[in-house]
Amino acid sequence: MESAALTPRQGPLGTQGAAEVDEFVVLFYEHTVGRADFSPSGVAEELGVPRQRVEHAVGVLSELRLVKPAEGRAGRLVAVSPEAAQMELLVPLEREILDSRRRLAGFKGQLSSFVAAFEKQSQSRARTDPVVITDDREEIELRLLQAAQSCTTEVLVVQPCVARETRELRLARPLVLDALRRGAQGRIIYPHTARGDSDTRAHLGELLSVGGQVRTIKEVRDRFLVFDRKTAFIPAGEGEAIAVVYEGAVAAFLAGLHGRLWESAFDFDSGAAGYAGTLEDLKATLLDLLASGAKDEVIARRVGMSERTFRRHVATIMQELSATSRFQAGVLAARTGLVDPAPRSDAA
């Protein structure tokens, strides 16, 4: 009898996290296309693979609406064409996007009425308050709007994946796009894990389409935005408070930090599939952080992925190294040169 884990998920896309497609998922789908129906356990036997891999493949394909239960046959599934899946999955999402764009245009029109008044007040405050710390959503949005609309030369961004982005980064996304459309240069840095997240890839594609440059790095420890090397938005502690810094020296320092990260980052190409050559760098980073003794939640945050996704990566790495424990995986990785054997001091 098929386990409950093999029942296709029928919830809306995103409720369980974005589907992660790998080579085996594609192979599994190709193996089942054209059949009247199939059982996951039967396909597992045919392919000679562990049941766990089949469960994962069925979960991903059902989330993408590429498999569904066979009518009148309990425990059996049937493959669905991509065209049919697209009609079920993407058309409603496209309608939501269109509605969101209409709402965004309306909000922008309403907010523009307050820009002049805010600019007058903020300019007078800037002479005495070079740093403003606030957790008020409306004030953060207005200050982002002011900085973005007055930006003419450059936008610098370092941030985690869309699924883990904070409130101010979510508010800044359409404003950064508008600045780039007006001709400002944009250099945006994400973690490598952005390449495996469908929502983030879609946003990166938008950035590239308006002239932005995007690169990814192995881990993102901080987040910040800098407009024209004049105004910076940085975290103010562990909560949702933001420090808005109207100080050129600080903005210049952050621009220099961004430049050093940029030099070691990998170019992102929206046409390239998957991690596109960065997977080994990501694996080495995960092993290095595991060897440092850092907790799962800390490592997941640093590399920009969920704890569930992080544990799935670790399981895959352990399987590739034929390791029975994380400690053994670290030892084997050090022996094969995948990680630096010197201990790290940043496990917190």
Side-chain angles (χ1 to χ4, degrees), residues 26-274:
V26 178
L27 174 64
F28 183 93
Y29 176 72
E30 182 179 0
H31 195 74
T32 59
V33 167
R35 298 188 180 194
D37 56 43
F38 65 89
S39 71
S41 60
V43 176
E45 293 179 4
E46 293 170 12
L47 297 177
V49 298
R51 188 181 184 87
Q52 183 179 10
R53 296 194 71 186
V54 171
E55 291 176 357
H56 171 68
V58 169
V60 172
L61 292 171
S62 63
E63 189 170 349
L64 294 174
R65 305 302 191 268
L66 289 170
V67 298
K68 66 179 182 180
E71 293 185 10
R73 302 203 63 183
R76 307 285 293 184
L77 305 176
V78 62
V80 178
S81 71
E83 291 78 8
Q86 179 171 310
M87 290 298 296
E88 179 181 352
L89 189 64
L90 299 186
V91 170
L93 290 178
E94 289 174 351
R95 290 174 181 164
E96 290 180 14
I97 292 171
L98 180 59
D99 290 341
S100 296
R101 287 178 175 169
R102 289 172 177 166
R103 291 178 59 203
L104 174 62
F107 284 137
K108 286 173 62 178
Q110 292 175 321
L111 288 172
S112 63
S113 305
F114 300 92
V115 171
F118 182 79
E119 286 182 348
K120 180 179 178 180
Q121 178 65 18
S122 63
Q123 287 171 1
S124 65
R125 286 189 64 184
R127 288 191 288 269
T128 56
D129 297 330
V131 180
V132 176
I133 298 178
T134 178
D135 61 358
D136 182 83
R137 177 190 173 94
E138 292 184 0
E139 183 174 4
I140 292 173
E141 188 164 9
L142 283 171
R143 291 185 182 276
L144 281 168
L145 182 63
Q146 178 202 18
Q149 289 194 337
S150 62
C151 178
T152 58
T153 59
E154 181 184 61
V155 184
L156 304 175
V157 183
V158 175
Q159 75 168 72
C161 292
V162 167
R164 299 180 66 88
E165 69 183 355
T166 53
R167 184 174 62 183
E168 86 279 0
L169 292 173
R170 185 165 56 254
L171 295 172
R173 265 200 284 156
L175 301 178
V176 170
L177 285 168
D178 284 344
L180 300 185
R181 291 189 184 100
R182 294 195 310 271
Q185 300 297 309
R187 290 191 297 166
I188 297 91
I189 296 176
Y190 275 82
H192 289 329
T193 48
R195 298 170 181 264
D197 181 85
S198 59
D199 289 338
T200 307
R201 286 183 69 94
H203 176 54
L204 300 189
E206 286 186 302
L207 289 167
L208 292 174
S209 70
V210 294
Q213 300 178 65
V214 180
R215 290 186 179 181
T216 65
I217 55 178
K218 56 187 180 181
E219 55 181 301
V220 170
R221 302 192 186 189
D222 304 296
R223 68 181 196 272
F224 58 81
L225 296 89
V226 180
F227 294 93
D228 281 346
R229 305 200 178 200
K230 295 178 181 178
T231 307
F233 293 79
I234 61 177
E238 294 296 327
E240 294 191 340
I242 296 300
V244 187
V245 184
Y246 300 100
E247 174 55 59
V250 174
F253 172 81
L254 291 173
L257 173 60
H258 189 284
R260 291 188 290 275
L261 293 174
W262 189 261
E263 290 176 0
S264 62
F266 293 72
D267 284 326
F268 174 79
D269 178 2
S270 59

